Amino acid sequence: MTTNSEISLPGMKVSIIGASTTTFGELWDVSPRALAREVVIGAMKDAGIMPQDIGALFVGNMLSGMLGSQEHLGAFFAEELGFHGAAAFKIEGACASGSLALHNAVNAIISGQYETVAVLGVEKMTDHRPEDVATALMGAGSSQERAAGCTFPGLYAILARVHMQEYGTTREDLAAVAVKNHFHASLNPHSQFKKPITMEAVLRSHAVADPLTLLDCSPISDGAAALVLTSDKRQATRDKKPISIIASCVSTDSLGLAQRDSLTELKATKDAATRAYKIAALSVKDIDLIELHDCFTIAELLALEDLGVTKKGDAAGLLRRGAFTLGRAPHVVVNPSGGLKGCGHPIGATGVKQVVEIVEQLRGAAGARQVSGARVGLAHNVGGTGATAVVHILAR
Amino acid sequence: MISPVKLWRNQKKIAELVGKTGVVISFTVIRVPPADFTDQAPYPVALVQLDRGERITAQMVDWEEKHLVIGTPVITIVRRVMSPSTDGVIPYGIKVKPLEK
């Protein structure tokens, strides 16, 4: 299982030279084309390159077909962005689509076929009725879960209840995740939510899927994010300090929760993280900041445990004592962007935005939410309820 | 959206799963349902450990508040899954109901 990734390690010299994200939110007056142009042009400008330098485009997106009736997004955006004749792909893996696009872009460079490539994550969700979005998102689950009338909040609620039963996790523990991430989001000019929230507000917000309330859930969002990647050979000719991708790992598990051995962990996260630490030759203690997949509050607690930041059952207590909040060094800062919860969650854009955030942090350009002295960052992106997990580790 | 061919193909699976007992190992109550389930909400969805070994995810019917606890014994039954499509196809599938009164 690990052989190929390990062999690729010595050749894994991939640099990020351009990064850009839109503000996430309810962007009714902006089209997917305009979102894509803003970030890809932004990332190319950041990288100091022209469209003709791009050898391939990798587009992370989930719902363009089901909601927008537009597929063939590789060619669609290659045309829009002026990448005439470039290879172009749509990569779909539910909420992990963005980081899967990045993983494929990394591999494309390692293969030697492309020197410089662009990664675009994009999703347009607010054009559609919420119940239609909920139905389309359930395309990421199993047919049995769809026939049960379950939703994604419902599936994570089922995981939350098991965690509460096993480890005594409380509603307040879950709410604390939302409070922290909305606080971080209030410092991020690109976030969907600009105001901090209180624990009472989370507990009092209306029930979506018991025990989860509205403020336990990431929002429905529009947005895009883009990266420009290049091989080290090309990078050698530049003067700007690059950010290196030192691990890119993907793992999968059963689509449905009913087929899992354990309901208190996402095995795919553990697998991807274990391999990523090994390839990057470092441990979780070396990580300065983590952008992790907090689609629901319970998901952040699960991820903290599955990434090895804490032992099983210990994440909530540490989080409530402020261990993962900005300005609490020497602890790792978790979701300085505000996460999916506070910054927003345009499905295909999320995995790319996480990496854009880490690039800004490692460059020391994250403004009010800067993690001081950040040298190593980890991005963790999940598809479905953990059927796909992707871990990237970046270093400066 | 509902394919009669897919429904027909899945009938075998339904027959195989009906009348099986088990216990609730986790559950939620869906209050914001997907499009074809709006007329049924709110409703519980349970993760059930069947006595014969496997686990299933299924909607709970004929329930009262007291049944919404981990450990509730249930049995699988056949019910209409969601609103029929405009061309008249009514999808049936597996749901669970509490065993004791």
Side-chain angles (χ1 to χ4, degrees):
Chain A
M1 179 171 80
T2 56
T3 319
N4 289 337
S5 317
E6 280 163 18
I7 285 170
S8 73
L9 173 61
M12 186 145 164
K13 300 287 184 191
V14 180
S15 301
I16 299 178
I17 55 170
S20 175
T21 179
T22 65
T23 294
F24 286 0
E26 298 176 336
L27 312 175
W28 293 304
D29 55 342
V30 186
S31 70
R33 289 174 192 269
L35 287 171
R37 266 202 311 274
E38 178 185 338
V39 291
V40 176
I41 290 170
M44 286 193 298
K45 204 172 152 198
D46 184 27
I49 62 160
M50 304 297 286
Q52 56 268 29
D53 297 323
I54 300 290
L57 170 68
F58 296 84
V59 181
N61 173 273
M62 177 184 180
L63 301 170
S64 73
M66 286 180 84
L67 290 179
S69 301
Q70 180 67 61
E71 286 289 11
H72 211 167
L73 289 193
F76 178 92
F77 283 116
E79 178 192 16
E80 181 65 28
L81 298 163
F83 298 158
H84 305 295
F89 313 88
K90 168 176 171 170
I91 316 283
E92 193 280 318
C95 305
S97 298
S99 58
L100 284 180
L102 175 58
H103 179 77
N104 279 275
V106 167
N107 289 342
I109 289 177
I110 290 173
S111 79
Q113 180 154 203
Y114 306 103
E115 203 164 66
T116 302
V117 306
V119 181
L120 164 67
V122 60
E123 207 76 56
K124 196 77 180 72
M125 302 174 78
T126 69
D127 296 359
H128 310 279
R129 297 188 308 158
E131 54 269 45
D132 292 334
V133 173
T135 303
L137 287 171
M138 277 307 289
S142 71
S143 57
Q144 190 181 70
E145 290 167 344
R146 280 192 293 279
C150 207
T151 56
F152 265 91
L155 293 169
Y156 275 92
I158 285 171
L159 290 174
R161 200 176 296 279
V162 174
H163 206 274
M164 288 166 138
Q165 172 99 348
E166 289 288 317
Y167 301 108
T169 307
T170 63
R171 278 288 304 127
E172 287 76 11
D173 291 339
L174 298 176
V177 174
V179 172
K180 170 180 74 70
N181 290 349
H182 277 251
F183 165 65
H184 287 169
S186 75
L187 305 172
N188 182 354
H190 293 303
S191 69
Q192 182 158 355
F193 298 119
K194 311 287 195 211
K195 282 193 204 154
I197 56 171
T198 63
M199 183 170 287
E200 291 66 41
V202 183
L203 299 176
R204 276 204 319 268
S205 65
H206 74 250
V208 171
D210 307 358
L212 301 181
T213 68
L214 183 67
L215 289 176
D216 283 298
C217 307
S218 56
I220 288 173
S221 319
D222 305 322
L227 296 163
V228 174
L229 273 54
T230 196
S231 60
D232 261 23
K233 190 169 56 146
R234 172 108 181 187
Q235 175 56 35
T237 65
R238 288 169 45 88
D239 45 5
K240 217 162 157 188
K241 186 104 176 73
I243 304 298
S244 300
I245 299 179
I246 58 173
S248 174
C249 293
V250 180
S251 184
T252 55
D253 198 353
S254 67
L255 275 186
L257 289 182
Q259 288 71 38
R260 307 272 171 87
D261 292 334
S262 168
L263 295 168
T264 53
E265 65 175 34
L266 302 189
K267 188 168 164 291
T269 294
K270 284 179 102 167
D271 287 352
T274 304
R275 277 157 53 204
Y277 297 141
K278 196 172 171 195
I279 288 172
L282 46 72
S283 88
V284 67
K285 292 189 173 53
D286 301 314
I287 311 277
D288 300 308
L289 75 138
I290 297 177
E291 282 285 309
L292 60 73
H293 198 89
D294 59 328
C295 48
F296 302 95
T297 49
I298 180 64
E300 175 151 330
L301 299 183
L302 288 170
L304 284 166
E305 295 164 357
D306 296 337
L307 292 169
V309 177
T310 76
K311 285 206 277 269
K312 268 291 154 200
D314 287 355
L318 277 162
L319 188 140
R320 286 190 71 174
R321 287 197 291 280
F324 309 122
T325 308
L326 267 168
R328 300 296 183 94
H331 279 290
V332 60
V333 179
V334 177
N335 282 329
S337 74
L340 286 57
K341 188 69 227 14
C343 188
H345 183 26
I347 307 295
T350 284
V352 182
K353 180 229 89 182
Q354 293 177 320
V355 174
V356 171
E357 171 70 17
I358 292 172
V359 169
E360 288 183 10
Q361 292 282 354
L362 298 185
R363 284 174 173 172
R369 64 186 196 288
Q370 181 64 47
V371 176
S372 69
R375 298 188 58 83
V376 182
L378 183 150
H380 162 255
N381 193 195
V382 171
T385 50
T388 299
V390 188
V391 171
H392 282 94
I393 301 178
L394 282 68
R396 71 174 157 96
Chain B
M1 282 297 280
I2 300 173
S3 158
V5 181
K6 271 179 78 174
L7 281 180
W8 168 75
R9 208 165 50 230
N10 285 323
Q11 296 303 305
K12 289 188 272 291
K13 282 191 220 162
I14 294 172
E16 160 73 3
L17 260 178
V18 76
K20 302 294 182 287
T21 55
V23 293
V24 171
I25 56 172
S26 188
F27 65 95
T28 182
V29 179
I30 302 291
R31 298 180 190 278
V32 183
D36 296 324
F37 290 83
T38 43
D39 58 335
Q40 302 179 55
Y43 51 84
V45 170
L47 194 59
V48 173
Q49 175 70 57
L50 294 180
D51 298 335
R52 68 174 189 182
E54 86 247 47
R55 288 175 182 169
I56 59 165
T57 302
Q59 187 180 334
M60 192 192 285
V61 296
D62 300 343
W63 58 282
E64 293 170 45
E65 206 61 38
K66 66 177 181 186
H67 297 122
L68 298 182
V69 287
I70 291 172
T72 296
V74 294
I75 185 163
T76 56
I77 52 165
V78 175
R79 288 288 172 95
R80 178 170 67 84
V81 170
M82 60 175 106
S83 312
S85 63
T86 45
D87 53 357
V89 178
I90 304 172
Y92 287 89
I94 293 292
K95 300 194 180 187
V96 296
K97 70 171 186 182
L99 260 181
E100 25 69 290
K101 48 257 124 227

